[in-house]
Amino acid sequence: MLLVDVDGVISLWGFDMDRRPDGTYHSVDGLPHFLSQEAGEHLLALSDAYDLVWCTGWEERANEYLPPVLGLPGPLPYLSFDRHVHTGTTMPGHWKLGAIDAYARDRPLAWIDDVFNDACHDWARRRPSPTLLVETTPAEGLVSRHAEELSAWAAARAPARS
Ligand SMILES: [Mg+2]
């Protein structure tokens, strides 16, 4: 499966307006979001090799807004997060990890996001099944080099076909 963050991966900001990536502004809950055309095209191609799963604070709203704009098949599964779990704790962690573990169990997974911390990398190393973290920057989001890395990773793990 491929866990897909939205903000900083599909919804972009911080780019130079003179060199704006391909995409369009959309009103999401009354706020303008710039949605990357390129990210949508890469996700559509990656959906051949991966089960796409929304892994974003947008939760179910990702299905409401994104598949129609990006041309993705939808609705996709999405993770729900209990944001209260980590509030006020000094435990190292990342607010998405609990929900990912509960959903993915021991399945191999790739996760594309613009915010990974040390807890994510430790978690990925300790998982018993293959795990790939792909980090984007919010000004460009998911671009070719990320898509190529994800395609190669999936291909290397695909069952041999006779
Ligand atoms: Mg993000």
Side-chain angles (χ1 to χ4, degrees), residues 116-131:
F116 292 119
N117 60 16
D118 289 346
C120 298
H121 293 287
D122 290 345
W123 167 86
R125 273 192 295 273
R126 286 199 309 267
R127 284 194 87 232
S129 46
T131 305

Side-chain angles (χ1 to χ4, degrees), residues 53-78:
V53 178
W54 297 125
C55 182
T56 165
W58 289 39
E59 298 188 349
E60 73 277 11
R61 291 175 305 130
N63 279 328
E64 182 180 338
Y65 290 104
L66 299 175
V69 170
L70 300 177
L72 290 174
L76 299 175
Y78 65 91

Side-chain angles (χ1 to χ4, degrees), residues 5-9 13 55-56 95-96 113-115 136 138:
D5 181 32
V6 174
D7 288 318
V9 176
W13 66 89
C55 182
T56 165
W95 60 282
K96 292 181 177 176
D113 204 300
D114 64 319
V115 181
T136 60

Side-chain angles (χ1 to χ4, degrees), residues 14-89:
F15 43 80
D16 186 339
M17 287 306 281
D18 294 337
R19 299 166 63 182
R20 199 177 78 178
D22 282 344
T24 46
Y25 282 98
H26 293 267
S27 175
V28 177
D29 295 346
L31 294 172
H33 285 256
F34 184 83
L35 302 182
S36 163
Q37 181 73 28
E38 179 174 0
E41 290 167 5
H42 288 313
L43 286 173
L44 183 60
L46 288 164
S47 69
D48 286 341
Y50 286 96
D51 296 330
L52 304 183
V53 178
W54 297 125
C55 182
T56 165
W58 289 39
E59 298 188 349
E60 73 277 11
R61 291 175 305 130
N63 279 328
E64 182 180 338
Y65 290 104
L66 299 175
V69 170
L70 300 177
L72 290 174
L76 299 175
Y78 65 91
L79 300 189
S80 294
F81 304 99
D82 180 355
R83 289 188 188 72
H84 302 292
V85 168
H86 296 296
T87 303
T89 177

